Amino acid sequence: MKKTRLALAIATTAMASTPVLATNGDNLIGLGAQSRALGGTGTAAFFGSENALTNPALLGKSQGTEFAIGGTLFKPNVKATTNVADMTGQGTYFSQTSDNDSNIIPEVSLSTRINENWAFGLGIFGSAGMGVDYRDNAGYDTQDASPGVNGNGSVLFNGYSNLQLMKFAPSISYNSDKFGIGFAPVIQYGALDINYKQFDSNPTSPTFGNVLNRGNGMSSDIGYGYNLGGYFNITSDLTIALAYQSAIDMKYKDQISVASEGFVNPASDFKEAFGDHLEQPAEIKAGVAYTMGSFMLTADAKQIKWGDAKGYKDFNWKDQNVFGVGAKYSGNRFWAGIGYNYGEDPIDKLDGSTSYKAQVTNMFNNHFFPGIVESHFTFGGGYSLTKNLSLDGAVVYAPQVKKTVDTGFLSGSTNPSATTHEVKHSQMGYTLSLRMNF
């Protein structure tokens, strides 16, 4: 139990100040160094204690006790370019690269055998999140947008968003020679902060001509769900598996509602602010792993149910099909692997040619929650430092993608494309993990 308390303390402390902008939507492609090196797979491939959140049934393949602690240095590169923000000289485009460009995501896992057929596990992971930071007026990539120079202090809305998610999952698994099943109740901690500045251009408003701050400080919530999984050994070398992760409802008081109130327009089709629920969606996963001597091939397919999740479906996120493949070679005291992961952009752009609400939705997605990257190229390896101590690492690269939305109605124009908002997004991730076996 001392190990469990230590793991929880480490992960909780690290997540307290960790903004994340993740990959399959706002979910990391994989949890743990081995999974991330092999394209985010792990539904059927056994990677030790780090399987605790991916498929708890696989802990039934563990031997003895394993404790792993590590983290990911996550480096998203997000750049927004727009002329939508209320400012002097609407025809001028301003660009800024988000200052939220380096984040630490913790990972702690434990597995131990109870007897021949039962195993216990624990996973504590920063599992998802997203965020941007455009608050530095001096950091614009094109022109000076300081108050009184080319703008009024609301260029790019001085936008800031920060979603943090951490999961704590004790798990139990049963295994025989041919199959295994596992279950893990999940406790999820989440925190959300959305803040921006907006120029009041309504001449009938008592605050006309002022720059208003939209935001209410960070809100947090705790939600509950479960993971359920199973695997079957068709042969000693071939494993197939299924896993299900339940949706977890979260409500962040006065966050999304307060942020969207700044764009409510009774004269348009957006008469009421969005709600504050932001449910982490359910996931359905299937996987296969095949071993040929020193080589292992693995593949996963999963569907992330963004389209059914409260909050995300209001912002027109759609169900996302994700595919991952990986290959691993294990030698004397080392392993090396490569992989690829693909998940189509889940944020479906609405037709903003006639709808003010559609333009508000598109702009909020683009500016505050641009989880639009699709392809991920991965590689990694590990080395046994001693009989009981191993070091694993992984690198994930997501090449740049771009999305542009019309925002003319938000600028007060009758031309839907009079102003636009563009976001570019690429990512690098570096994972290290120290595994101890007893």
Side-chain angles (χ1 to χ4, degrees):
M1 293 305 292
K2 289 182 179 179
K3 295 174 187 174
T4 302
R5 289 196 296 268
L6 174 62
L8 179 58
I10 292 171
T12 303
T13 300
M15 278 300 292
S17 60
T18 303
V20 182
L21 194 118
T23 48
N24 294 144
D26 69 17
N27 289 344
L28 290 171
I29 65 167
L31 300 173
Q34 295 180 82
S35 174
R36 289 175 63 77
L38 273 68
T41 58
T43 303
F46 176 61
F47 297 139
S49 61
E50 70 181 54
N51 287 108
L53 271 181
T54 307
N55 183 355
L58 291 174
L59 296 183
K61 294 193 173 190
S62 62
Q63 301 293 325
T65 297
E66 179 179 290
F67 176 70
I69 181 170
T72 295
L73 172 61
F74 200 86
K75 296 185 69 64
N77 187 297
V78 182
K79 181 179 179 179
T81 301
T82 186
N83 58 347
V84 66
D86 299 293
M87 57 188 171
T88 304
Q90 279 282 352
T92 302
Y93 280 87
F94 288 88
S95 297
Q96 186 183 357
T97 300
S98 168
D99 286 337
N100 178 19
D101 58 2
S102 296
N103 311 294
I104 300 295
I105 309 169
E107 299 171 351
V108 178
S109 60
L110 169 73
S111 66
T112 186
R113 292 219 65 87
I114 300 173
N115 56 38
E116 183 179 350
N117 298 110
W118 292 90
F120 171 79
L122 175 66
I124 307 171
F125 294 90
S127 60
M130 51 191 163
V132 295
D133 187 353
Y134 301 117
R135 294 176 295 180
D136 184 4
N137 278 334
Y140 290 89
D141 298 332
T142 59
Q143 305 189 46
D144 184 352
S146 302
V149 181
N150 288 320
N152 53 34
S154 65
V155 180
L156 288 168
F157 303 104
N158 279 42
Y160 174 80
S161 61
N162 179 8
L163 174 65
Q164 307 170 16
L165 291 174
M166 183 185 76
K167 289 183 177 180
F168 172 79
S171 59
I172 190 74
S173 63
Y174 173 84
N175 69 285
S176 69
D177 291 338
K178 279 286 188 180
F179 72 93
I181 56 175
F183 175 78
V186 177
I187 303 170
Q188 178 174 276
Y189 167 81
L192 176 63
D193 187 4
I194 307 174
N195 189 283
Y196 65 94
K197 292 182 179 180
Q198 185 180 41
F199 179 73
D200 188 350
S201 58
N202 182 1
T204 64
S205 170
T207 57
F208 172 66
N210 294 324
V211 175
L212 307 178
N213 188 71
R214 305 285 188 182
N216 204 42
M218 181 172 283
S219 300
S220 62
D221 195 16
I222 293 178
Y224 305 92
Y226 64 89
N227 289 352
L228 180 66
Y231 72 85
F232 183 76
N233 294 326
I234 297 178
T235 68
S236 60
D237 298 323
L238 180 62
T239 299
I240 58 174
L242 294 172
Y244 175 77
Q245 176 179 295
S246 74
I248 301 179
D249 190 19
M250 308 290 285
K251 185 177 182 180
Y252 304 106
K253 184 179 179 181
D254 296 331
Q255 287 299 320
I256 301 172
S257 60
V258 169
S260 58
E261 276 177 0
F263 291 91
V264 169
N265 184 348
S268 72
D269 57 347
F270 188 46
K271 298 179 173 64
E272 184 177 348
F274 293 113
D276 286 317
H277 285 271
L278 197 62
E279 181 180 54
Q280 282 308 113
E283 294 185 18
I284 304 168
K285 297 177 279 190
V288 59
Y290 180 60
T291 302
M292 301 176 293
S294 298
F295 288 92
M296 181 180 70
L297 302 177
T298 179
D300 278 16
K302 64 182 175 182
Q303 185 175 76
I304 307 176
K305 307 292 285 183
W306 302 109
D308 295 332
K310 297 177 185 177
Y312 288 101
K313 62 181 178 182
D314 295 335
F315 283 90
N316 209 44
W317 287 47
K318 302 300 183 184
D319 292 348
Q320 183 182 35
N321 295 317
V322 179
F323 304 95
V325 293
K328 179 182 179 181
Y329 175 80
S330 298
N332 182 23
R333 299 182 64 179
F334 77 94
W335 66 269
I338 59 172
Y340 175 75
N341 179 284
Y342 179 81
E344 186 179 4
D345 174 8
I347 308 174
D348 199 7
K349 186 167 67 174
L350 290 163
D351 180 7
S353 61
T354 60
S355 170
Y356 176 87
K357 182 178 181 180
Q359 289 201 355
V360 172
T361 303
N362 289 340
M363 190 278 296
F364 259 79
N365 281 323
N366 237 35
H367 197 61
F368 294 107
F369 307 116
I372 61 174
V373 296
E374 297 184 330
S375 292
H376 307 81
F377 300 91
T378 72
F379 66 92
Y383 185 76
S384 297
L385 303 174
T386 69
K387 180 181 178 181
N388 304 109
L389 187 65
S390 300
L391 183 65
D392 299 323
V395 176
V396 176
Y397 167 63
Q400 185 182 91
V401 293
K402 178 176 71 173
K403 179 179 282 189
T404 302
V405 298
D406 291 335
T407 54
F409 296 150
L410 277 64
S411 300
S413 174
T414 57
N415 177 2
S417 58
T419 60
T420 60
H421 184 287
E422 177 191 84
V423 67
K424 295 179 180 178
H425 184 184
S426 62
Q427 299 171 352
M428 289 294 300
Y430 307 91
T431 302
L432 281 177
S433 178
L434 193 65
R435 289 187 294 126
M436 293 158 275
N437 294 280
F438 307 95

